[in-house]
């Protein structure tokens, strides 16, 4: 029963009857259908699964989890700690300013405001940083100040590679900050490998990607140990993989307590027109943004999808040949992504940009060659430690007989993989990527291929990666038909979004007191909910 209840809300806070049946059958694979559906019926009878007013359902456990997450966050935003001395904050800002001065830069007023808040007396600080606003640079100053005051800094994120990226940035200014995925952090604390206390600062990067379960576990840990939490994220970029939807509520609560600051000044894009159009798109003015790209010759319409893909790959190849760091981003299937990467590799091989030795990869329509840009798809343990899912590297050598790869990582380390490690790592060419692994990267140019499954979040990630130029490539079939103009149709296509809705945003189907679950609650290892009356005046929605 426990696995069934968790599976029902693994990816979404609410579910339809059809989705519930699919999960029940999957959970009971190999068992009779009647037995699997009987477990679901039993959960409904015992009110472990409850019906909502819009016809969907949720579990009492997940609804309680959402409510507890909001309550814990509200409590933490009201707590106060000892602030970092002002002189240490100023010293940290000066250190970062001196580094930025080499490139004629410095901390922006927004960054300084965020630095002051993150070094103040709030136990929880939320920094909502739009794409390209210098979150990493800000965190260097924040971590420097906290370390100077004697606090230990820890970095966590849903993906370990994102946490390690921040940890590496902090190491560049002399801050030692170990990195953990949110799951690994909880495991390390639970097993005694790591302890945190009131002298610990936890930086939660890409926090808008965290599921409600991740959020609650981290908030509980912070509350129990009186640590400080700095939440950094952008809800307009990629969505969480797990059930979520509480970010707007946490955002409002942090704002009411003066614990939230927003970074809006785009420091990445060099062209003011790019900054303007990125802001337009983020604000939901998709058609205006696309008109801006079209007016500047950055929107390229081909006869069909295949032609658009070829144009994007060719343009990126020209940029790479000119010495620019470039990336192609699209929202398509894994199989088609492999096909596009194979085409990108073929362009490089044609122009003698790759070595001659090859190594075949199981399940991929290409072989690897020296010079290829690759991505690690599954964490693999090497002699020097784990190499995380999402890490990127450039192949420097191949030994076909031994089945070994030599590669240079983004941090300039050189590693060697044997056959078994290559198999475990599930390597993939990285010329063309999905938006999620591309989030957090900075390029010189980016080429977006508008695919059938485009979303507003994925498109925004693609539009906000480049310093110099972003180009949009689309097939004519996505613009044709109907009475609307082509730009309007394209704006509708790339502006699609399915908001994450928490279950507590929807009232229960019946306005009644709910009694705690009977034996099924203990059976599932879940805490039964306390009885409570409906309270339609609460800002988190009607409760059970």
């Amino acid at each position: 029963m426990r696995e069934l209840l968790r599976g029902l809300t693994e990816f979404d806070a609410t579910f339809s009857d059809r989705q519930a049946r699919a999960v029940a059958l999957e959970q009971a694979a190999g068992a009779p259908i009647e037995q699997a559906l009987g477990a679901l019926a039993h959960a409904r009878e015992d009110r472990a699964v409850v019906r909502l007013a819009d016809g969907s359902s949720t579990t009492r456990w997940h609804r309680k989890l959402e409510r507890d997450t909001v309550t814990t966050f509200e409590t933490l935003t009201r707590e106060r700690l000892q602030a970092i001395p002002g002189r240490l904050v100023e010293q940290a800002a000066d250190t970062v300013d001196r580094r930025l001065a080499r490139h004629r830069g410095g901390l922006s007023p927004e960054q300084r405001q965020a630095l002051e808040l993150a070094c103040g007396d709030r136990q929880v600080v939320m920094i909502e940083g739009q794409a390209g606003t210098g979150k990493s640079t800000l965190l260097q100053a924040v971590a420097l100040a906290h370390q100077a005051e004697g606090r230990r800094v820890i970095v966590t994120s849903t993906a370990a590679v994102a946490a390690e990226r921040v940890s590496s940035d902090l190491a560049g200014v002399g801050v030692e900050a170990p990195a953990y995925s949110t799951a690994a952090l909880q495991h390390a604390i639970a097993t005694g490998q790591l302890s945190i206390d009131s002298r610990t600062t936890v930086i939660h990067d890409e926090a808008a990607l965290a599921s409600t379960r991740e959020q609650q576990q981290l908030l509980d840990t912070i509350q129990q140990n009186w640590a400080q939490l700095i939440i950094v994220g952008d809800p307009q970029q990629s969505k969480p993989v797990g059930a979520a939807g509480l970010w707007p509520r946490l955002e409002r609560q942090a704002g009411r307590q003066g614990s939230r600051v927003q970074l809006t000044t785009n420091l990445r894009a060099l062209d003011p027109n790019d900054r303007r159009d990125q802001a337009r798109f983020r604000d939901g003015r998709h058609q205006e943004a696309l008109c801006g790209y079209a007016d500047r010759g950055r929107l390229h319409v081909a006869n069909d999808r295949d032609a658009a893909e070829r144009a994007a790959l060719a343009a990126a190849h020209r940029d790479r040949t000119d010495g620019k760091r470039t990336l192609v981003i699209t929202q398509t299937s894994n199989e088609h992504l492999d096909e596009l990467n194979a085409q990108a590799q073929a362009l490089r091989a044609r122009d003698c940009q790759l070595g001659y030795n090859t190594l075949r990869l199981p399940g991929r329509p290409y072989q690897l060659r020296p010079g290829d840009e690759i991505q690690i798809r599954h964490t693999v343990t090497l002699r020097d430690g784990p190499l995380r899912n999402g890490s990127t590297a450039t192949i420097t050598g191949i030994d076909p007989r031994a089945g070994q790869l030599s590669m240079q990582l983004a941090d300039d380390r050189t590693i060697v993989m044997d056959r078994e490690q290559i198999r475990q790592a599930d390597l993939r060419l990285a010329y063309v990527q999905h938006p999620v692994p591309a989030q957090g990267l900075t390029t010189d140019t980016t080429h977006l291929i508008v695919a059938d499954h485009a979303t507003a979040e994925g498109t925004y990630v693609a539009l906000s990666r480049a310093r110099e130029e972003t180009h949009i490539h689309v097939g004519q079939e996505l613009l044709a038909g109907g009475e609307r103009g082509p730009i309007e149709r394209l704006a509708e296509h790339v502006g699609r979004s399915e908001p994450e809705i928490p279950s507590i945003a929807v009232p229960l189907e019946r306005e009644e007191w709910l009694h705690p679950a009977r034996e099924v609650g203990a059976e599932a290892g879940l805490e039964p909910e306390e009885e409570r009356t409906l309270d339609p005046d609460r800002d988190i929605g009607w409760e059970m």
Side-chain angles (χ1 to χ4, degrees), residues 89-341:
V89 178
E90 194 56 39
Q91 287 173 8
D94 289 344
T95 298
V96 173
D97 274 341
R98 284 195 297 272
R99 291 172 59 87
L100 295 175
R102 302 170 191 170
H103 306 284
R104 298 183 180 181
L107 290 172
S108 69
E110 282 183 340
Q111 289 173 314
R112 282 187 170 270
Q113 179 187 1
L115 173 62
E116 294 288 340
L117 181 62
C119 294
D121 62 355
R122 268 64 175 179
Q123 187 172 5
V124 172
V125 170
M126 176 181 281
I127 301 172
E128 186 174 311
Q130 298 180 14
T133 53
K135 297 185 289 292
S136 298
T137 301
L138 163 65
L139 290 177
Q140 288 181 335
V142 170
L144 274 170
H146 282 247
Q147 180 174 267
E149 204 269 333
R151 299 183 65 84
R152 180 174 52 166
V153 180
I154 294 172
V155 182
T156 190
S157 187
T158 298
V161 68
E164 288 178 349
R165 189 182 299 132
V166 175
S167 178
S168 178
D169 287 340
L170 300 185
V173 293
V175 175
E176 183 180 348
Y180 297 86
S181 68
T182 51
L185 177 64
Q186 297 303 323
H187 177 75
I189 294 172
T191 57
Q193 301 173 50
L194 176 71
S195 62
I196 68 173
D197 54 28
S198 61
R199 302 292 295 164
T200 304
T201 298
V202 177
I203 296 175
H204 187 193
D205 190 46
E206 303 286 11
L209 289 176
S211 68
T212 298
R213 295 179 193 180
E214 289 179 274
Q215 290 171 335
Q216 176 60 10
Q217 288 175 342
L218 183 57
L219 293 174
D220 273 348
T221 298
I222 296 298
Q223 186 177 51
Q224 292 167 11
N225 296 279
W226 279 93
Q228 188 169 18
L229 177 62
I230 299 174
I231 298 171
V232 185
D234 181 5
Q236 299 302 317
Q237 296 190 54
S238 301
K239 290 184 177 180
V241 174
L246 293 179
W247 183 277
R249 296 164 187 269
L250 307 186
E251 184 182 78
R252 289 195 297 271
Q253 175 61 23
R256 284 194 290 265
Q257 294 296 326
S259 296
R260 172 181 174 265
V261 66
Q262 191 171 20
L263 302 179
T264 61
T265 302
N266 191 330
L267 305 174
R268 177 182 293 151
L270 302 178
D271 185 342
N273 292 313
D274 280 338
R275 296 196 292 269
R276 177 201 65 198
D277 292 333
Q278 288 176 30
R280 284 173 172 174
F281 196 92
R282 189 182 194 280
D283 292 342
R285 294 179 291 160
H286 305 131
Q287 187 172 340
E288 286 184 61
L290 293 173
C291 285
Y293 285 102
D295 290 344
R296 292 182 287 127
R298 304 283 181 82
L299 176 60
H300 310 278
V301 181
N303 289 335
D304 54 30
R305 187 193 71 175
D306 290 344
E309 291 172 346
R310 289 194 299 270
L313 295 174
H317 179 63
R318 289 193 296 272
D319 289 345
R320 187 175 288 106
T321 301
D322 290 341
K324 295 180 179 180
R325 184 179 180 186
T326 190
L327 182 63
V328 178
I329 298 178
T330 188
Q331 291 179 273
T332 189
S333 67
N334 288 328
E335 292 76 13
H336 191 56
L337 194 75
D338 281 338
E339 294 172 5
L340 294 175
N341 269 306

Side-chain angles (χ1 to χ4, degrees), residues 39-83:
L40 179 60
H42 185 50
R44 288 193 182 278
E45 291 169 5
D46 282 282
R47 306 295 285 166
V49 172
V50 293
R51 183 82 64 181
L52 303 179
D54 64 358
S56 66
S57 298
T58 190
T59 66
R60 291 181 63 188
W61 171 76
H62 190 80
R63 198 169 173 93
K64 181 178 186 300
L65 180 71
E66 290 176 339
R67 187 170 55 248
D68 288 348
T69 302
V70 173
T71 300
T72 303
F73 189 80
E74 288 177 345
T75 300
L76 288 172
T77 58
R78 290 193 290 267
E79 296 294 346
R80 297 294 180 263
L81 305 175
Q82 185 69 38

Side-chain angles (χ1 to χ4, degrees), residues 320-480:
R320 187 175 288 106
T321 301
D322 290 341
K324 295 180 179 180
R325 184 179 180 186
T326 190
L327 182 63
V328 178
I329 298 178
T330 188
Q331 291 179 273
T332 189
S333 67
N334 288 328
E335 292 76 13
H336 191 56
L337 194 75
D338 281 338
E339 294 172 5
L340 294 175
N341 269 306
Q343 293 177 42
Q345 183 193 55
L347 291 174
R348 297 200 68 195
R350 181 199 65 189
D351 291 347
C352 302
Q353 296 178 0
L354 301 176
Y356 293 102
N357 286 340
T358 62
L359 186 69
R360 182 169 296 281
L361 290 178
R364 304 289 187 207
Y366 46 73
Q367 301 179 41
L368 295 184
R369 304 178 66 167
D372 271 330
E373 299 172 13
I374 62 170
Q375 186 175 69
I376 286 78
R377 299 298 299 157
H378 288 292
T379 298
V380 59
T381 301
L382 305 178
R383 181 182 303 174
D384 298 332
L387 184 60
R388 304 294 186 186
N389 171 25
S391 300
T392 56
T394 300
I395 296 177
T396 55
I398 293 177
D399 185 338
R401 291 185 178 180
Q404 289 185 335
L405 285 179
S406 300
M407 60 187 75
Q408 186 175 37
L409 301 179
D411 60 6
D412 292 332
R413 285 185 296 149
T414 298
I415 62 171
V416 177
M417 279 189 183
D418 59 28
R419 290 185 190 274
E420 178 58 22
Q421 291 165 338
I422 292 170
R423 184 191 66 78
Q424 293 175 0
D426 189 23
L427 302 180
R428 164 180 280 163
L429 289 174
Y431 302 116
V432 187
Q433 295 188 26
H434 289 133
V436 173
Q439 186 168 321
L441 298 181
T442 297
T443 63
D444 295 321
T445 65
T446 301
H447 296 270
L448 166 63
I449 300 173
V450 180
D452 292 340
H453 305 297
T455 65
E457 293 80 10
T459 301
Y460 177 60
V461 169
L463 294 179
S464 57
R465 297 304 97 204
R467 290 190 183 95
E468 298 177 10
E469 292 184 2
T470 299
H471 292 263
I472 303 170
H473 303 264
V474 59
Q476 180 66 42
E477 68 272 13
L478 290 180
L479 310 181

